[in-house]
Amino acid sequence: VPFDKGELAERIMKDVLPTLTTREPVVLTYTIRNVHRSIGARLSGEIARTFGAKGLADKTVTLRLHGSAGQSLAAFNAPGLTIELEGDANDYVGKGMAGGRIVIYPPRDSQFASDKAAIIGNTCLYGATGGTLYAAGLAGERFAVRNGGALAVVEGVGDHGCEYMTGGCVIVLGETGLNFGAGMTGGFAFVYDKAGVFADRYNHELIDIHRITGEAMDAYQVFLRDRVSEYGEATGSAHARALLAAWSETAGHMWLVKPKAVRIETLLVESE
């Protein structure tokens, strides 16, 4: 019987409590529906209350979800918590994310192309300070607004992506909407621009864009390829596999996006 609105969060807390005492890794599986909101937030709060800002060791708690998640999935996600969703999610995924990992991908038996279909809603990763978000599909508008430290890989975003971003790294393996990077003062992004339209879509006030080809940009190619490879392994994205298989061509269509006030030589150092 599917859990009602508040029951899923209660069940997760009950199932995870022993691990909060022993710190032994646990993997738990649940079905989720769009009436289930802020799943993971209460658990992250308990992790922070018990272990502080450092949270738990990586992948101590893994929640494997199946279905369509309601708003604010993995809000305030704490270090040590991995939330993996086979399905899709609504707005505010990873809001205030502090650590851990969120992995979202379409049903394994789906036939549609992930880079042509929405998988998460608007304003995802808002105000994040750490952690990793991998979403095998398109994100809505205002993706990674005020991101201050999270790493994210998605296959396309709507308008106002990376608005007021101050840190972290966002990798967009597809097109963006308008006004990308408005008010962006920190962090950096990569955008795959095969159609050659990105130059007319980013906000020119505070950021500039650079190609990553040439010997001087080798470190950025290595960084980007490693992240896309990790993303492909985590999500099973066919789009990521195709980009990796033709990497020389892929790299030629990539833009590195950074704040004008930040020297390009310092970006990878600051991201460590």
Side-chain angles (χ1 to χ4, degrees):
V1 178
F3 293 105
D4 286 337
K5 285 185 179 180
E7 290 177 347
L8 179 56
E10 292 287 342
R11 179 58 182 268
I12 290 172
M13 286 300 303
K14 180 180 179 181
D15 292 344
V16 174
L17 277 177
T19 290
L20 299 186
T21 300
T22 65
R23 303 192 191 189
E24 291 294 323
V26 64
V27 178
L28 301 166
T29 301
Y30 306 94
T31 296
I32 192 169
R33 298 184 296 143
N34 62 8
V35 298
H36 298 131
R37 299 180 179 180
S38 302
I39 293 301
R42 183 176 175 187
L43 176 55
S44 289
E46 187 64 22
I47 291 172
R49 187 187 71 81
T50 306
F51 302 103
K54 291 184 178 180
L56 291 162
D58 188 36
K59 298 181 182 178
T60 300
V61 179
T62 299
L63 305 182
R64 290 183 176 163
L65 309 176
H66 303 266
S68 294
Q71 289 191 347
S72 301
L73 174 71
F76 314 111
N77 207 72
L81 174 59
T82 295
I83 294 182
E84 180 179 314
L85 170 63
E86 182 177 351
D88 54 38
N90 214 300
D91 301 338
Y92 293 106
V93 172
K95 177 177 64 177
M97 183 179 190
R101 193 158 88 147
I102 305 167
V103 181
I104 304 176
Y105 50 86
R108 294 302 193 192
D109 60 355
S110 61
Q111 300 298 312
F112 58 83
S114 62
D115 61 316
K116 301 294 190 296
I119 195 165
I120 54 178
N122 297 317
T123 329
C124 296
L125 217 64
Y126 179 90
T129 59
T132 300
L133 167 62
Y134 291 150
L138 308 182
E141 296 187 353
R142 290 192 156 85
F143 181 77
V145 171
R146 301 190 186 278
N147 177 30
L151 167 71
V153 184
V154 293
E155 299 186 359
V157 299
D159 294 344
H160 315 295
C162 297
E163 190 175 35
Y164 305 122
M165 186 164 145
T166 61
C169 176
V170 171
I171 299 170
V172 184
L173 302 179
E175 292 190 10
T176 74
L178 300 175
N179 201 36
F180 188 91
M184 179 179 171
T185 58
F188 58 106
F190 294 94
V191 175
Y192 178 63
D193 182 30
K194 187 174 183 178
V197 296
F198 184 64
D200 295 322
R201 294 185 178 180
Y202 78 93
N203 187 300
H204 293 235
E205 184 176 2
L206 296 180
I207 61 175
D208 51 26
I209 62 176
H210 304 263
R211 289 299 190 189
I212 63 169
T213 52
E215 186 175 344
M217 302 296 281
D218 281 352
Y220 289 95
Q221 280 214 42
V222 171
F223 174 88
L224 176 60
R225 185 168 186 168
D226 286 349
R227 301 294 85 73
V228 175
S229 179
E230 292 167 4
Y231 162 82
E233 290 178 7
T235 63
S237 169
H239 181 57
R241 287 198 302 270
L243 293 178
L244 290 166
W247 185 253
S248 294
E249 179 183 354
T250 296
H253 293 303
M254 283 287 183
W255 290 108
L256 169 64
V257 182
K258 71 166 190 64
K260 292 178 180 178
V262 179
R263 293 173 55 236
I264 198 168
E265 297 82 3
T266 68
L267 288 175
L268 290 182
V269 175
E270 293 178 355
S271 71
E272 295 177 352

